[in-house]
């Protein structure tokens, strides 16, 4: 088959018309050919049909047949060719179906990601979206893959394609995926996948409010989950849903009140308290919130109860049967209590002391920030209860109960029983809440501020977030070609400026060998000459220069060696060594160069991590005449020391995006930090930020609206990812001294998981801070 393939390629080069006639004569037998010959046929059909569109009808059926080939590579190329040859719905559906089938059946995750990129590019064409919307359920089958990145891309594609026709079917599939993610026998990235599912369901409910009632019961269950990031995403969704969809508020509040006793995470409990305090507007719900707070704190006052525990005065039976308030205030304004058994399994391992209620356990640990949130929530609830219930007696009892809870917490914070004492901020906050509670029944202005202005602030924040999302979607949309747009000519513009008509086979070949110019790069500085490094002097016996081609994980050194002597050089050897995480894979062989002759050799290096590396070495040779060169030490071997080649970290760093919560989480986890002081001649804050982004190849995560205005200082978060999967975080904090025209001042904090990444990025920033005038 390889002989047949080579013969056919030869025929294409010699006489393309005869090759096409031969293909036409055997077109029914193409499916029985080997894959190497089928790939050549696909490439030929692509080029012929682009050069002469009239030939499409003649060969497009062959492309359809090759979609059923037994070779995955042939099917992939045939699908890509079919999309470029025809935009008919049947062609797009067939190509997309082939892509989906390839993603599902191929075991290599890299192949899955490449095919998903093709499917995403197909989705971005507006006229193809309607066809792909019919295949949403087929695309969801890809979620059976084990790789998290594959699932992430799949959910992103599906989220852009889902419509009101198939949203309910998609929700059913996602429900099954949620149940799988909660099972103990999951893949390694189960928690991250669960968080991804939560975010997807959130966006589905925002776009299609009709299905929000089906999604909310599933998501609220995550609040008691041990996966805090997923639970935090659920609360973000709940906050937005309860604010936007007033009809769903009773359902959301009922589910929150139901799951509240099972929440153990401080962050989740604090946010849940805020939501309940802000949106519980019914007297019964307000009383239920107070009941749940009392249950979560245990018997009051907390200090006396803890002292009894510590002194052993409490009987074990009294501890196991604690009074839990089921209805704090009844309809007639009186108190009622009911005893209930605490779970017998609530004892701590290795300790006879029973487990404390959730909120009290957090307070004993010294986490009083949740007490500040509780004080704010109770303050809102009290002001709302006073406005809803006209009976002064019931009002006073409810206010007194809230003050009793906060004063008990305040006393606990100063008692010394906790692992950490209450800090001054939390102390002032709780004391302020108690002081405001004393004025609750008679201060209308406080009611206006606490219950109305705070709700308006939430509305403003959510509307701003929605505006950011809409602007981001506008940026992602493709641009329409207008009637007065210029026409690109291949002879006059760079290859990156071509549109869909460019030869995709040539394009991928150029990309593979590093000849493709990136869009936005200067053509003069993107040529090979710009990447040539001179390694020896013009007066040296041997002149050496190297073209450095960085191709992802490999560095290819294309070295030119010139014999500048009048003698023949024998056993000429290019000896190389490295510093850093570089490994020489292929060394050049020995050469013999005639007088004034030259040769090209290649050396291949493998890069192991994102770190600045250095390649150094020398050229060793012998003279055929055996004489020493003038100025040389003489002897059998002569040496020319070469200059160093620096491997730039920027070749391996690409801009990336992440959420604010992910950024904060990584910032707390990464242990290596490099603090770089700003030393620049740039006088404008935003100009320095743009210069830093261009220099470090990082992306600014801070919203553009947050950087507007003139206030004399600027703070921004930057993020990038290396080709090796390493994350790089940076926080820029700069200011301009008021009343001066001097340069900006401040510092940049860089954090990364590896020391080399943090140090290399800091060196790059230091080297490029100043702009050459």
């Amino acid at each position: 088959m390889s002989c047949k393939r080579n013969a056919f390629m030869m025929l294409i080069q010699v006489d393309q018309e005869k090759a096409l006639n031969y293909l036409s004569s055997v077109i029914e037998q193409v499916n029985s050919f080997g894959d190497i010959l089928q790939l050549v046929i696909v490439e030929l059909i692509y080029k012929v049909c682009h050069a002469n569109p009239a030939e499409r009808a003649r060969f497009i059926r062959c492309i359809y047949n090759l979609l059923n080939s037994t070779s995955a590579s042939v099917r992939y190329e045939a699908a890509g060719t079919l999309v470029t040859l025809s935009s008919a719905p049947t062609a797009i559906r067939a190509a997309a179906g082939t892509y989906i089938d390839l993603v599902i059946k191929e075991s290599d995750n890299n192949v899955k990601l490449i095919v998903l990129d093709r499917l995403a590019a197909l989705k971005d064409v507006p006229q193809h979206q309607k066809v792909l919307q019919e295949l949403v359920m087929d695309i969801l089958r890809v979620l059976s893959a084990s790789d998290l990145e594959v699932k992430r891309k799949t959910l992103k594609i599906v989220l852009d394609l889902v419509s009101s026709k198939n949203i309910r079917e998609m929700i059913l599939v996602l429900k099954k995926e949620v149940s799988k993610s909660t099972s103990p026998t999951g893949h390694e990235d189960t928690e991250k996948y669960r968080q991804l599912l939560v975010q997807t369901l959130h966006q589905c409910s925002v776009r299609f409010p009709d299905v929000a009632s089906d999604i909310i019961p599933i998501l609220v269950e995550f609040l008691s989950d041990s996966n805090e990031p997923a639970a935090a995403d659920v609360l973000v969704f709940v906050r937005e849903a309860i604010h936007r969809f007033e009809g769903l508020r009773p359902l959301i509040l009922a589910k929150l009140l139901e799951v509240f006793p099972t929440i153990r995470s401080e962050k989740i409990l604090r946010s849940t308290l805020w939501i309940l305090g802000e949106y519980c507007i019914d007297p019964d719900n307000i009383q239920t919130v107070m009941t749940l707070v009392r249950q979560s704190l245990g018997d009051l006052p907390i200090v006396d109860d803890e002292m009894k525990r510590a002194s052993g005065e409490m009987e074990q039976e009294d501890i196991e049967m604690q009074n839990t308030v089921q209805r704090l205030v009844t309809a007639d304004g009186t108190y009622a209590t009911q005893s209930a058994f605490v779970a017998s399994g609530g004892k701590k391992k290795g300790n006879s002391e029973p487990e404390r209620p959730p909120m009290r356990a957090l307070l004993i640990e010294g986490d009083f920030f949740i007490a500040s949130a509780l004080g704010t929530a109770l303050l809102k609830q009290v002001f709302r209860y006073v406005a809803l219930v006209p009976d002064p007696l019931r009002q006073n009892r409810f206010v007194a109960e809230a003050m009793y809870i906060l004063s008990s917490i305040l006393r606990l914070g100063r008692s010394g029983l906790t692992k950490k004492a209450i800090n001054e901020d939390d102390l002032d906050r709780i004391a302020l809440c108690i002081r405001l509670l004393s004025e609750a029944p008679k201060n209308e202005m406080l009611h206006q501020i606490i219950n109305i202005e705070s709700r308006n602030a939430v509305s403003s924040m959510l509307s701003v977030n929605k505006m950011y999302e809409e602007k981001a979607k506008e940026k992602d949309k493709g641009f329409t070609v207008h009637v007065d747009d210029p026409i690109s000519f291949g002879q006059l513009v760079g290859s990156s400026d071509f549109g869909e008509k460019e030869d995709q086979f040539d394009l991928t070949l150029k990309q593979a060998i590093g000849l493709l110019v990136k869009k936005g790069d200067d053509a003069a500085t993107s040529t090979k000459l710009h990447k040539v490094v001179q390694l020896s002097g013009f007066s040296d016996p041997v002149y050496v220069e190297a073209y450095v081609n960085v191709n992802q994980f490999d560095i290819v050194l294309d070295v030119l060696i010139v014999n500048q002597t009048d003698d023949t050089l024998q056993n000429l050897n290019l000896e190389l060594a490295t510093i850093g995480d570089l490994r020489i894979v292929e060394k050049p062989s020995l050469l013999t160069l005639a007088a004034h002759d030259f040769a090209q050799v290649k050396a291949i290096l493998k890069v192991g991590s994102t770190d600045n590396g250095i390649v150094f070495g020398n050229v060793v040779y012998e003279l055929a005449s055996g004489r020493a060169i003038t100025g040389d030490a003489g002897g059998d071997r002569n040496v020319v020391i070469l200059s160093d080649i620096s491997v730039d970290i920027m070749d391996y760093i690409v801009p990336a995006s992440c959420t604010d919560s992910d950024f904060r989480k990584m910032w707390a986890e990464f242990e290596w930090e490099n603090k770089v002081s700003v030393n620049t001649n740039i006088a404008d804050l935003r100009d320095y930020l743009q210069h830093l982004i261009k220099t470090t190849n990082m992306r600014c995560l801070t919203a553009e609206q947050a950087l507007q205005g003139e206030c004399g200082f600027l703070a921004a978060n930057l993020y990038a990812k290396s080709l090796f999967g390493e994350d790089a975080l940076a926080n820029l904090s700069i200011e301009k001294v008021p009343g001066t025209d001097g340069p900006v001042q401040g510092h940049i904090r860089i954090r990364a998981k590896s020391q080399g990444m943090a140090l290399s990025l800091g060196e790059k920033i230091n080297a490029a801070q100043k702009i050459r005038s």
Side-chain angles (χ1 to χ4, degrees):
M1 185 54 66
S2 61
C3 180
K4 196 171 184 179
R5 176 247 188 195
N6 292 339
F8 186 67
M9 288 187 68
M10 180 65 184
L11 183 60
I12 292 172
Q13 300 297 327
V14 175
D15 192 339
Q16 186 170 298
E17 189 60 35
K18 284 188 178 180
L20 291 175
N21 291 335
Y22 168 76
L23 180 59
S24 299
S25 65
V26 297
I27 201 163
E28 298 297 333
Q29 306 170 27
V30 168
N31 277 347
S32 62
F33 292 166
D35 56 346
I36 55 175
L37 182 55
Q38 288 177 341
L39 287 171
V40 176
I41 291 172
V42 171
E43 184 176 352
L44 175 63
I45 293 174
Y46 176 87
K47 291 184 176 180
V48 168
C49 292
H50 270 264
N52 186 8
E55 297 284 353
R56 293 185 184 183
R58 182 181 173 189
F59 295 110
I60 199 167
R61 185 182 172 190
C62 178
I63 297 294
Y64 270 107
N65 293 335
L66 288 175
L67 292 177
N68 300 318
S69 172
T70 55
S71 169
S73 58
V74 173
R75 297 178 66 197
Y76 173 76
E77 294 294 349
T81 302
L82 182 61
V83 170
T84 61
L85 297 183
S86 174
S87 58
T90 51
I92 302 302
R93 189 177 293 109
T98 303
Y99 284 146
I100 295 168
D101 194 51
L102 285 172
V103 176
I104 294 171
K105 292 183 178 179
E106 281 298 313
S107 58
D108 191 342
N109 288 327
N110 292 324
V111 174
K112 291 177 183 286
L113 292 172
I114 292 170
V115 178
L116 282 173
D117 285 338
R118 280 294 184 98
L119 202 58
L122 205 60
K123 176 251 316 173
D124 291 337
V125 181
Q127 57 265 35
H128 297 165
Q129 285 187 357
K130 190 172 182 181
V131 177
L132 292 176
Q133 284 175 354
E134 302 171 4
L135 302 173
V136 165
M137 301 310 297
D138 293 328
I139 299 174
L140 282 171
R141 291 163 53 202
V142 181
L143 293 177
S144 59
S146 59
D147 186 66
L148 180 64
E149 192 60 33
V150 172
K151 295 184 177 185
R152 190 190 308 277
K153 284 196 174 185
T154 303
L155 289 174
K156 187 176 185 303
I157 293 171
V158 168
L159 200 58
D160 292 337
L161 291 175
V162 69
S163 63
S164 56
K165 296 179 181 178
N166 47 28
I167 180 63
R168 293 194 179 276
E169 296 175 5
M170 176 179 165
I171 294 300
L172 291 175
V173 173
L174 294 181
K175 280 183 179 179
K176 292 180 181 178
E177 292 297 316
V178 167
S179 61
K180 289 180 186 177
S181 70
T182 54
S183 62
T185 57
H187 48 77
E188 295 178 358
D189 295 321
T190 302
E191 291 189 355
K192 292 182 180 178
Y193 181 46
R194 202 178 310 166
Q195 187 179 0
L196 194 60
L197 288 171
V198 169
Q199 294 169 356
T200 305
L201 288 168
H202 175 193
Q203 295 178 53
C204 287
S205 65
V206 172
R207 286 181 55 191
F208 305 97
D210 295 341
V211 299
S213 57
D214 299 328
I215 296 174
I216 288 168
I218 310 170
L219 294 186
V220 172
E221 296 296 329
F222 279 98
L223 294 180
S224 57
D225 194 77
S226 58
N227 183 11
E228 188 175 288
D233 286 335
V234 170
L235 283 173
V236 172
F237 159 68
V238 168
R239 182 188 65 187
E240 188 170 356
I242 201 171
H243 185 81
R244 285 189 181 182
F245 314 129
E246 293 188 12
L248 295 176
R249 283 182 188 175
L251 172 64
I252 297 173
L253 289 173
K255 296 299 293 183
L256 281 179
L257 292 171
E258 180 183 335
V259 79
F260 185 86
T262 63
I263 299 174
R264 293 294 181 270
S265 168
E266 182 271 336
K267 182 179 178 181
I268 306 306
L269 190 60
R270 191 174 70 238
S271 301
T272 306
L273 280 172
W274 181 88
I275 293 175
L276 291 174
E278 183 66 37
Y279 292 99
C280 281
I281 57 175
D282 181 77
D284 291 336
N285 284 339
I286 294 173
Q287 290 174 357
T288 306
V289 170
M290 185 70 84
T291 299
L292 293 174
V293 169
R294 282 294 303 268
Q295 290 178 356
S296 189
L297 287 171
D299 289 345
L300 298 179
I302 301 175
V303 173
D304 294 349
D305 191 53
E306 288 295 321
M307 293 293 288
K308 288 181 181 179
R309 288 172 182 265
S311 62
E313 291 180 10
M314 294 182 69
E315 299 277 336
Q316 183 65 28
E317 295 163 352
D318 294 336
I319 294 174
E320 290 182 356
M321 183 186 291
Q322 295 204 4
N323 289 332
T324 57
V325 185
Q326 297 298 325
R327 171 72 73 177
L328 180 64
V329 184
T330 59
D332 60 355
T334 60
Y335 291 98
T337 59
Q338 182 179 352
S339 297
F341 283 99
V342 176
S344 59
K347 295 185 180 182
K348 294 181 180 179
K349 293 181 180 179
N351 193 351
S352 60
E353 184 181 350
E355 184 179 0
R356 292 183 175 89
M359 203 180 304
R360 181 186 288 195
L362 293 171
L363 294 174
I364 294 296
E365 290 293 323
D367 193 348
F368 284 92
F369 188 31
I370 193 171
S372 299
L374 175 62
T376 304
L378 290 178
L379 186 63
K380 293 179 181 179
Q381 295 285 274
V382 165
F383 273 86
R384 199 166 287 126
Y385 188 85
V386 167
L388 293 171
V389 178
D391 186 1
L393 181 61
R394 293 171 60 187
Q395 289 180 2
N396 290 337
R397 285 180 173 174
F398 197 85
V399 172
E401 185 68 21
M403 295 176 70
Y404 182 40
I405 291 173
L406 294 180
S407 59
S408 178
I409 294 173
L410 205 59
R411 184 184 172 203
L412 174 67
R414 306 300 292 268
S415 65
L417 295 176
T418 58
K419 292 185 178 179
K420 290 187 293 185
I422 187 172
N423 58 49
E424 292 299 325
D425 292 337
D426 294 332
L427 183 69
D428 291 344
R429 182 71 173 180
I430 297 172
L432 176 63
C433 290
I434 294 175
R435 187 160 58 250
L436 294 177
L437 284 172
S438 63
E439 303 178 12
K442 52 190 176 182
N443 198 322
E444 287 295 329
M445 185 184 71
L446 285 176
H447 174 72
Q448 175 76 17
I449 294 172
I450 292 172
N451 284 332
I452 298 176
E453 295 299 331
S454 62
R455 182 70 59 85
N456 294 338
V458 175
S459 302
S460 301
M461 183 190 70
L462 293 177
S463 62
V464 169
N465 291 342
K466 187 177 180 182
M467 182 179 67
Y468 289 162
E469 292 172 3
E470 290 175 352
K471 285 190 176 182
K473 289 180 182 178
E474 288 294 329
K475 287 183 180 179
D476 293 338
K477 288 183 179 179
F479 294 100
T480 305
V481 179
H482 299 288
V483 292
D484 56 349
D485 281 354
I487 300 173
S488 297
F489 292 92
Q491 294 82 357
L492 303 177
V493 297
S495 59
S496 60
D497 292 330
F498 274 102
E500 294 179 353
K501 299 300 182 185
E502 186 180 5
D503 191 331
Q504 297 297 317
F505 289 93
D506 289 343
L507 184 66
T508 52
L509 178 61
K510 289 177 182 178
Q511 192 171 7
I513 62 178
L515 295 180
L516 188 65
V517 180
K518 293 182 181 179
K519 196 167 186 179
D521 286 352
D522 186 3
T525 60
S526 299
T527 61
K528 276 192 172 184
L529 293 175
H530 182 65
K531 298 182 180 179
V532 172
V533 180
Q534 183 179 339
L535 301 181
S536 67
F538 292 113
S539 60
D540 286 325
V542 179
Y543 174 75
V544 183
E545 68 180 24
Y547 164 65
V548 183
N549 180 23
V550 179
N551 187 14
Q552 291 200 350
F553 309 118
D554 297 330
I555 298 176
V556 180
L557 299 180
D558 192 350
V559 184
L560 172 67
I561 303 175
V562 181
N563 179 7
Q564 300 193 116
T565 68
D566 297 328
D567 205 343
T568 301
L569 305 182
Q570 296 178 340
N571 296 327
L572 187 147
N573 186 21
L574 176 63
E575 298 178 345
L576 296 174
T578 61
I579 295 177
D581 203 354
L582 299 174
R583 181 168 53 89
I584 300 175
V585 178
E586 184 178 325
K587 295 182 178 180
S589 56
L590 295 176
L591 296 173
T592 300
L593 285 181
H596 301 290
D597 195 5
F598 68 90
Q600 283 185 291
V601 295
K602 287 185 182 293
I604 300 177
L605 294 85
K606 182 72 71 174
V607 184
S609 67
T610 310
D611 195 355
N612 285 336
I614 296 176
V615 182
F616 62 96
N618 49 53
V619 173
V620 181
Y621 60 92
E622 298 173 359
L623 293 175
S625 62
R627 61 185 178 84
I629 296 176
T630 303
D632 225 335
D636 294 337
R637 297 176 68 83
N638 300 277
V639 180
V640 175
I641 307 297
L642 303 180
S643 301
D644 296 342
I645 301 174
S646 296
V647 179
D648 193 356
I649 185 178
M650 289 301 106
D651 292 327
Y652 307 101
I653 290 182
V654 293
S657 297
C658 69
T659 62
D660 290 341
S661 58
D662 289 339
F663 185 91
R664 287 193 293 269
K665 183 180 178 183
M666 288 187 287
W667 188 269
E669 289 177 353
F670 292 171
E671 55 186 13
W672 291 106
E673 178 174 319
N674 187 8
K675 188 173 181 179
V676 179
S677 298
V678 174
N679 180 19
T680 182
N681 55 0
I682 304 174
D684 186 78
L685 298 174
R686 287 176 190 79
D687 288 348
Y688 183 81
L689 173 62
Q690 294 304 319
H691 176 66
L692 185 66
I693 292 171
K694 185 178 179 181
T695 302
T696 59
N697 221 15
M698 303 182 84
R699 175 168 291 157
C700 181
L701 299 181
T702 307
E704 187 179 343
Q705 286 78 1
L707 300 174
Q708 291 178 351
E710 296 293 338
C711 57
F713 66 90
L714 184 146
N717 292 332
L718 308 177
Y719 177 62
K721 209 174 183 69
S722 73
L723 296 177
F724 307 95
E726 299 170 310
D727 299 293
L729 313 176
N731 174 259
L732 171 67
S733 181
I734 53 178
E735 64 177 350
K736 188 78 181 290
V737 179
T740 64
D741 294 330
V744 299
Q745 300 176 358
H747 59 267
I748 305 156
R749 295 169 65 193
I750 304 163
R751 285 202 180 182
K753 187 171 281 187
S754 63
Q755 183 184 18
M757 181 83 158
L759 293 177
S760 300
L761 203 54
E763 291 173 7
K764 181 66 179 177
I765 293 173
N766 270 327
Q769 281 202 65
K770 293 187 178 182
I771 297 179
R772 294 184 179 90
S773 55

